[in-house]
Amino acid sequence: MMNETAGKILDYIERSPSCFHAVKNLADELRENGFAELKESGRWTLEENGKYFVTRNGSSIISFTIPKKDFRMFRITASHSDSPCFKVKENPEMKGHGCVRLNVEKYGGMLMNPWFDRPLSIAGRVCVENGGGAFDVETVLFDFKKSVAMIPSLAIHFARDANDGHKINTQAEMMPIVSTDTEFDFLATVAKEIGVEKGKILSHDLFLYNNCKGSFWGTDDEFISSAKLDDLECVYATFIGFLNSAKKAAADSVNVHAVFDNEEVGSGTRQGADSTFLEDTLRRINGAMGRDDEDYLSAIAESFLISADNAHAVHPNFADKSDLSNRPHVNEGIVIKYNAAQKYTSDAVSAGIFKRICAKAGVPFQIFTNNSNVAGGSTLGNISTSHVSLRSVDIGLAQWAMHSPLESAGAEDAEFLSKAAEAFYSA
């Protein structure tokens, strides 16, 4: 039987072909659940038992609930909205050899080989002139929805050593084909799709995405595959727990669900984890409730952050890449991630707290550490805590093919995370 939570996540990912769509979909669902939108440019008036959210850049979002003025702490989950992919450059048309290709560049540390021979579409945002002043521009979400591009592989007859290892030349080999029309104009095509004149388009942030629907697989539907499991699976699993807890949240804490952009390129943007977005939001909550800076610092000292970003499952064909004794499996629970160099924030105390949360939720957990000879990745936990110094644990859900346009994971694990998030917010 297909897991209901996993099905909801696959649906959310299908509706979220870019980070901008991912955040809009969360915002829409928050409004449907009685959350009020705040603007960073306006003054905040907050009330006890209030539910609110605020966005930055249209690609990051922080939502929160306030039980009462004299709250003790903040309980925060943080994940990210972006995924490795190809970004369409300005003036992208490359015409010749009987077709038109698009000039693209890498976004994030991506696996490039799986992008060959897949139906691709394009989504993101378009900046449009609206007749106002220089700072009065309008952004429009855009999604072709249908397959409009493909990057064909070179036939084996022309690359006899292809299966022996080939270093990809990104600029030369990864340009997607979109048309045979030598008059093809990318901006004109986009303008027609969104119903504006081409001359009204000022710029764009548009990305390729895998246009294959996510699915269950395995003899018992025990696995899922989709684009963007890293990290929209954690985004939406924690979001489900956050919304469920809003009806019964702990009376002593402000519960916060944070989603940041640009984790895959280092988080160093105004909407990334290495920005002031989280700190600004927490301080404004504190101030709007009539509390002073001493109250804020006391609350931060009590607070806790769960940094939720997917983890590496042991790959059965490459088991030697995993640690000898800490090798997570799909469908066997939430992964607690450790790293002696502090690429992950988990320590004995924070991991111990999270293990108790899992016990309260009745869900399993497992441990990840890197093979000592294989460098691992990093995530947004330690970046966030460099701005807001609170206790933190790094966790994720075990998956294969991380940073591929089609990733795989266990169908049961997302439900474990949604239950743990609900328990965390309600503890």
Side-chain angles (χ1 to χ4, degrees):
M1 183 175 179
M2 294 181 183
N3 183 279
E4 182 179 359
T5 301
K8 289 179 179 179
I9 287 171
L10 293 181
D11 175 70
Y12 170 67
I13 293 175
E14 184 180 353
R15 294 183 287 113
S16 304
S18 77
C19 55
F20 308 106
H21 292 80
V23 165
K24 178 187 181 298
N25 288 328
L26 295 181
D28 289 345
E29 197 163 343
L30 287 165
R31 292 188 191 96
E32 292 170 3
N33 282 273
F35 284 71
E37 183 174 7
L38 302 168
K39 300 294 184 183
E40 285 199 285
S41 58
R43 295 189 65 85
W44 289 11
T45 302
L46 308 180
E47 299 177 353
E48 290 187 344
N49 300 312
K51 301 188 293 186
Y52 306 94
F53 73 92
V54 60
T55 65
R56 182 178 283 188
N57 189 53
S59 59
S60 294
I61 184 169
I62 298 177
S63 45
F64 56 92
T65 59
I66 304 175
K68 58 182 181 179
K69 175 181 176 180
D70 57 338
F71 60 86
R72 182 171 67 94
M73 62 188 293
F74 298 97
R75 302 179 192 223
I76 307 166
T77 62
S79 44
H80 64 89
S81 62
D82 61 322
S83 300
C85 60
F86 288 103
K87 188 174 190 292
V88 180
K89 294 181 181 180
E90 297 287 323
N91 306 309
E93 300 92 344
M94 303 293 294
K95 301 178 180 180
H97 310 292
C99 63
V100 181
R101 297 171 295 159
L102 295 182
N103 194 5
V104 298
E105 59 185 324
K106 292 198 305 180
Y107 175 90
M110 57 199 297
L111 279 171
M112 286 196 290
N113 269 310
W115 284 85
F116 287 111
D117 307 320
R118 289 191 186 276
L120 305 174
S121 192
I122 298 171
R125 69 178 177 184
V126 181
C127 184
V128 178
E129 183 179 349
N130 64 4
F135 292 95
D136 297 321
V137 296
E138 180 183 356
T139 57
V140 179
L141 288 188
F142 174 81
D143 181 9
F144 268 118
K145 294 185 178 178
K146 67 177 183 179
S147 300
V148 297
M150 187 173 289
I151 308 172
S153 295
L154 180 63
I156 189 70
H157 310 82
F158 301 131
R160 297 290 182 182
D161 61 347
N163 295 324
D164 299 322
H166 169 71
K167 184 176 181 179
I168 296 174
N169 182 322
T170 308
Q171 183 65 78
E173 300 175 28
M174 301 307 296
M175 285 190 281
I177 297 171
V178 293
S179 180
T180 59
D181 180 5
T182 57
E183 301 302 317
F184 176 81
D185 185 314
F186 180 70
L187 279 189
T189 303
V190 171
K192 182 179 179 181
E193 290 288 325
I194 62 176
V196 302
E197 298 176 6
K198 174 187 172 182
K200 294 290 186 180
I201 294 180
L202 298 170
S203 191
H204 55 79
D205 293 310
L206 296 174
F207 303 87
L208 297 182
Y209 70 90
N210 174 14
N211 198 35
C212 295
K213 291 184 65 170
S215 63
F216 288 84
W217 59 280
T219 56
D220 293 315
D221 294 319
E222 65 266 47
F223 307 111
I224 56 173
S225 284
S226 174
K228 305 177 186 294
L229 289 178
D230 175 24
D231 189 31
L232 294 189
E233 186 180 21
C234 284
V235 167
Y236 204 69
T238 55
F239 186 69
I240 292 172
F242 172 73
L243 288 184
N244 288 341
S245 72
K247 306 164 188 174
K248 54 180 179 179
D252 68 341
S253 68
V254 172
N255 288 346
V256 181
H257 184 267
V259 180
F260 299 105
D261 191 10
N262 302 131
E263 190 275 344
E264 298 293 0
V265 291
S267 298
T269 60
R270 63 181 289 270
Q271 60 273 1
D274 199 12
S275 72
T276 60
F277 190 26
L278 179 60
E279 182 182 10
D280 291 346
T281 301
L282 301 184
R283 285 191 176 277
R284 293 184 78 164
I285 293 170
N286 187 78
M289 297 306 292
R291 296 155 56 98
D292 61 22
D293 198 52
E294 188 74 9
D295 294 323
Y296 172 76
L297 294 175
S298 296
I300 291 298
E302 294 282 345
S303 297
F304 197 86
L305 168 69
I306 296 176
S307 170
D309 193 1
N310 268 3
H312 298 290
V314 59
H315 194 305
N317 296 337
F318 302 93
D320 60 312
K321 296 295 184 181
S322 294
D323 184 51
L324 301 180
S325 59
N326 299 291
R327 38 176 58 193
H329 297 85
V330 300
N331 286 325
E332 293 191 12
I334 302 168
V335 179
I336 303 173
K337 301 189 284 188
Y338 292 86
N339 181 264
Q342 293 301 293
K343 295 293 185 180
Y344 304 128
T345 59
S346 308
D347 59 23
V349 173
S350 64
I353 291 170
F354 187 74
K355 289 176 183 180
R356 295 186 68 186
I357 291 167
C358 289
K360 178 186 176 184
V363 301
F365 66 84
Q366 47 191 332
I367 305 299
F368 171 85
T369 59
N370 290 315
N371 181 310
S372 298
N373 294 322
V374 181
S378 60
T379 186
L380 47 78
N382 55 0
I383 296 173
S384 297
T385 57
S386 69
H387 295 272
V388 183
S389 299
L390 38 68
R391 294 171 296 175
S392 175
V393 63
D394 268 285
I395 60 99
L397 299 177
Q399 71 162 88
W400 297 307
M402 188 175 288
H403 291 192
S404 169
L406 188 67
E407 302 170 322
S408 295
E412 304 298 321
D413 288 327
E415 186 169 353
F416 295 147
L417 181 53
S418 68
K419 289 179 177 179
E422 184 175 351
F424 167 64
Y425 285 125
S426 308

